[in-house]
Amino acid sequence: MKSASVSELKKELKSRESGEILEICARLIKYKKENKELLTYILFESEDEQGYIQGNKDEMDVQFEEMNQNTLYYIKKSVRKILRSLNKYLRFSANLETETELRMYFCKKMQDLDVDIKQSNALNNLYLMQIKKIGIAISKMHEDLQYDYTKQMEKLK
């Protein structure tokens, strides 16, 4: 089965009644956890972006605390897992300020690890990629915000 394009789906949804759209949404959230998480963000958390940011920071804190730091291998696996969940939550938000703050927080937490991240090429490259993504997000912001976030980013380098 071939999927319809986004514009075709939008057009079709506009032609449906609200009750029918409700049924479609209910079916969507049954099948994928990510759909349910996205709908939760849209309905409950999108109004309070600062609360959403803080909740994600708290979750990151827990994940970094529970990280197995016995070997570099486990650290890399754990950091990648944290980054996967972070990227998923950033897709939900699609807000540049949220992305910048959470990526900066992730980088700070990586710096706070007991290990020197420069020992591992994988961890170092992962860290540098996050710095690059922060720079890209900052470049798309308003000039005043760019200045503030650029100052914060310099501390991470």
Side-chain angles (χ1 to χ4, degrees):
M1 182 172 110
K2 186 179 175 191
S3 298
S5 69
V6 175
S7 62
E8 291 172 335
L9 291 171
K10 281 182 181 180
K11 213 181 286 183
E12 185 62 31
L13 283 172
K14 285 180 182 177
S15 69
R16 303 284 176 111
E17 294 179 17
S18 63
E20 216 174 339
I21 292 175
L22 184 63
E23 299 268 333
I24 292 169
C25 286
R27 271 186 78 186
L28 273 174
I29 59 177
K30 273 187 197 177
Y31 293 107
K32 259 209 173 228
K33 183 181 176 189
E34 195 168 312
N35 290 343
K36 195 181 300 183
E37 290 171 341
L38 175 60
L39 196 58
T40 300
Y41 169 76
I42 291 169
L43 295 175
F44 302 113
E45 297 173 351
S46 62
E47 300 296 320
D48 181 21
E49 199 68 26
Q50 286 304 315
Y52 182 69
I53 291 170
Q54 190 56 49
N56 282 309
K57 285 181 179 180
D58 294 342
E59 188 175 326
M60 255 192 276
D61 287 339
V62 170
Q63 289 174 326
F64 271 101
E65 285 172 14
E66 292 174 348
M67 180 186 297
N68 183 351
Q69 294 191 15
N70 291 338
T71 64
L72 209 52
Y73 173 77
Y74 290 123
I75 293 172
K76 284 188 274 190
K77 283 184 72 77
S78 299
V79 167
R80 284 189 189 116
K81 182 179 178 185
I82 294 168
L83 190 57
R84 270 194 311 275
S85 65
L86 173 67
N87 286 330
K88 178 174 62 172
Y89 295 133
L90 291 176
R91 267 184 306 190
F92 293 165
S93 175
N95 183 328
L96 292 174
E97 293 172 43
T98 301
E99 178 180 353
T100 304
E101 283 193 40
L102 288 176
R103 286 197 194 279
M104 283 182 166
Y105 190 75
F106 175 81
C107 288
K108 286 176 191 167
K109 294 300 283 184
M110 276 192 70
Q111 286 178 340
D112 293 344
L113 288 174
D114 293 336
V115 203
D116 182 21
I117 58 174
K118 291 182 180 166
Q119 281 180 330
S120 164
N121 272 346
L123 283 177
N124 192 35
N125 289 339
L126 200 136
Y127 180 82
L128 293 174
M129 183 56 83
Q130 295 311 303
I131 296 293
K132 184 178 177 182
K133 288 180 179 183
I134 292 168
I136 291 169
I138 289 174
S139 70
K140 296 177 184 175
M141 290 182 188
H142 186 270
E143 294 168 359
D144 294 336
L145 291 172
Q146 280 183 2
Y147 178 74
D148 295 337
Y149 282 121
T150 303
K151 284 178 91 173
Q152 290 178 25
M153 193 171 93
E154 292 302 319
K155 295 175 187 173
L156 295 174
K157 291 184 177 180

